Amino acid sequence: MTPTTSRADPSRTRPKPRLPAWTATLTWKAAVFITVMCCALAALLGALVHVSVANQTVGQARDRALGRLDEATAAYEAGARLGPLAGIDRPGLPDSLRRLAAGGDRGTMVSSRAKAPTMWAAGPINGNRVLAVEIDYSQGARTIDGLDRAIVGSSVLAIGATLLVGAFAVTRVTRRLHATARVARRISGGDLDARVGDPRTRNPARHQDEVAAVAGALDSMATSLQRKLLSEQRFTADVAHELRTPLTGLHAAAELLPPGRPTELVRDRVAALRTLTEDLLEISRLDARSERVDLDDNWLGPLTERVVRGSGTETEVVVVRDVCVLTDRRRLERVLGNLVANAHRHGSPPVVLTVDGPVITVRDHGEGYPDYLVEGGPQRFRTEGGTKGHGLGLTIALGQAKVLGASLRFSNAEDGGALATLTLPYDDHQP
């Protein structure tokens, strides 16, 4: 058998052409809309003026031509001499007008076949002959041409002026919208102190446009959100501080209990409560943004190996490229320790920690992160579908990464498993 080859249809594989990104802006759309509307209005008004003036000019020329035809007819019937622009069966008379006059009717027509535009008037005489007169129509034609040029010129000027005024008005609106969008992005990024501060919203008695209403609503939402978040942060800090003292006493009392299985359970639960309290205190400090970094040069390879040894877990460390970064060693170890502990607690082995330059990844081979965590980041104590949540470890890791100026991203590997990627700030000129 002879092998055959098939070629893909270029029309199917060729990507559809897309307009540039700037064409999606409101300014461009408004400019196109204003231009189209101005052109349509100018064309309509120009056509109306052109038709009106042309009809008037042609009507006046027709009346003059018919008047000359009446004079020539009277002179012909009286046997008098015809004028220089009148004659019988004159050459140059349009054929359609000649046939009309030969049929017994009178008519007029503008002809441009001669050197200058001419208005013809023709009528029947004895013997199926045609009496025709002509008058100069150059002035009328120049009047209409001048009017058309004036219409085009004034339309261009009017469209240009309208575009300038419209662009100025639309730009003012779009500038306010861009400012509102920038503030919204800052708020979504965690800057709850950001406000639009539109001056139109400061006086409630002043009439507000739609942009001012959106800006005011955004500012109100940010203020409400900030109050609720501050209330939550204060509650978390107060609870952690209030629990710390009784838990210290409870831990001391548990140490005095006689050995046995009940004592081990009590001590285990007390230790878990102390860990939770310390995590809450750490989160409250991160929320208050009171943390300060202690920067020093650290090689990531030895640091990650030390973190794995301290975790007491079976975690494989792969160093693709070791680098020395300027960072806070204690906080970085806290971040990596939480990621490794979370991978073992909620994932499945093997757990692999990989160092590739300033990028550190921690991957397990379990079911992966839930969708809400991948899309919106870790949330405190949230559970999904009745399953065990991810606690505070990932929340603390994300907060400490922000203190370090690093980027921590959560995703799921294509072949299964959760993947946490930590990208540290790094200068190529560092040792």
Side-chain angles (χ1 to χ4, degrees), residues 92 111-118 120 134:
S111 174
S112 58
R113 289 185 297 177
K115 295 182 179 180
T118 302
W120 289 90
E134 61 176 309

Side-chain angles (χ1 to χ4, degrees), residues 18-35:
R18 300 184 63 181
L19 294 175
W22 57 268
T23 59
T25 61
L26 183 59
T27 303
W28 185 83
K29 294 178 179 178
V32 172
F33 176 76
I34 293 174
T35 303

Side-chain angles (χ1 to χ4, degrees), residues 35 76 138 164 196 278 373 400-401 403:
T35 303
Y76 176 79
S138 300
L164 291 177
V196 179
E278 294 300 327
L373 194 148
Q400 293 290 7
V403 174

Side-chain angles (χ1 to χ4, degrees), residues 196-205 208:
V196 179
D198 195 311
R200 296 167 181 78
T201 61
R202 297 174 183 174
N203 185 8
Q208 300 180 5

Side-chain angles (χ1 to χ4, degrees), residues 163-223:
L163 273 178
L164 291 177
V165 175
F168 174 75
V170 173
T171 302
R172 292 188 61 187
V173 175
T174 54
R175 189 183 301 116
R176 293 166 59 197
L177 288 175
H178 285 310
T180 304
R182 284 195 300 269
V183 172
R185 285 191 291 267
R186 289 173 57 189
I187 293 174
S188 63
D191 184 8
L192 297 182
D193 293 326
R195 297 291 185 275
V196 179
D198 195 311
R200 296 167 181 78
T201 61
R202 297 174 183 174
N203 185 8
R206 183 178 179 181
H207 294 290
Q208 300 180 5
D209 57 8
E210 289 76 3
V211 180
V214 172
L218 180 63
D219 288 347
S220 300
M221 181 198 70
T223 301

Side-chain angles (χ1 to χ4, degrees), residues 44-343:
L44 177 62
L45 293 178
L48 292 176
V49 173
H50 172 84
V51 170
S52 176
V53 174
N55 288 338
Q56 182 179 2
T57 303
V58 172
Q60 292 175 354
R62 180 182 294 113
D63 292 341
R64 288 172 52 204
L66 291 176
R68 294 282 182 88
L69 180 62
D70 291 339
E71 295 175 359
T73 302
Y76 176 79
E77 292 177 351
R81 181 180 177 183
L82 298 177
L85 297 178
I88 299 174
D89 296 331
R90 295 197 58 183
L93 181 66
D95 294 337
S96 58
L97 184 58
R98 185 186 303 275
R99 289 192 297 270
L100 177 68
D105 295 322
R106 289 158 48 104
T108 59
M109 177 176 291
V110 177
S111 174
S112 58
R113 289 185 297 177
K115 295 182 179 180
T118 302
M119 172 66 74
W120 289 90
I125 57 175
N126 297 333
N128 293 327
R129 303 181 69 186
V130 176
L131 177 62
V133 297
E134 61 176 309
I135 61 174
D136 184 15
Y137 188 65
S138 300
Q139 183 62 36
R142 285 194 297 269
T143 300
I144 296 177
D145 291 341
L147 175 65
D148 291 341
R149 288 191 296 270
I151 291 175
V152 173
S154 60
S155 298
V156 171
L157 291 177
I159 292 173
T162 305
L163 273 178
L164 291 177
V165 175
F168 174 75
V170 173
T171 302
R172 292 188 61 187
V173 175
T174 54
R175 189 183 301 116
R176 293 166 59 197
L177 288 175
H178 285 310
T180 304
R182 284 195 300 269
V183 172
R185 285 191 291 267
R186 289 173 57 189
I187 293 174
S188 63
D191 184 8
L192 297 182
D193 293 326
R195 297 291 185 275
V196 179
D198 195 311
R200 296 167 181 78
T201 61
R202 297 174 183 174
N203 185 8
R206 183 178 179 181
H207 294 290
Q208 300 180 5
D209 57 8
E210 289 76 3
V211 180
V214 172
L218 180 63
D219 288 347
S220 300
M221 181 198 70
T223 301
S224 176
L225 182 62
Q226 187 177 39
R227 289 174 180 172
K228 292 180 180 179
L229 185 58
L230 290 176
S231 176
E232 178 186 344
Q233 293 173 358
R234 285 194 299 267
F235 175 76
T236 302
D238 293 342
V239 168
H241 281 92
E242 291 297 329
L243 287 176
R244 196 173 194 179
T245 300
L247 279 175
T248 302
L250 186 60
H251 181 266
E255 294 296 328
L256 299 177
L257 293 175
R261 180 59 179 168
T263 300
E264 293 178 1
L265 292 176
V266 171
R267 290 176 180 175
D268 179 69
R269 294 298 88 196
V270 171
L273 283 175
R274 290 191 66 181
T275 301
L276 177 60
T277 303
E278 294 300 327
D279 288 346
L280 290 175
L281 286 173
E282 185 173 359
I283 287 178
S284 66
R285 291 193 298 268
L286 291 172
D287 289 339
R289 300 177 183 177
S290 59
E291 298 284 4
R292 296 294 181 268
V293 293
D294 184 13
L295 300 178
D296 196 7
D297 290 329
N298 295 272
W299 286 92
L300 296 182
L303 186 146
T304 54
E305 293 175 354
R306 186 167 56 250
V307 169
V308 170
R309 286 196 304 268
S311 67
T313 59
E314 294 292 333
T315 303
E316 180 184 359
V317 178
V318 178
V319 180
V320 178
R321 181 169 64 96
D322 196 6
V323 294
C324 182
V325 298
L326 184 65
T327 187
D328 189 323
R329 178 184 59 80
R330 182 182 62 84
R331 298 185 187 279
L332 180 55
E333 290 179 349
R334 175 69 162 155
V335 173
L336 296 178
N338 283 10
L339 294 178
V340 170
N342 182 83

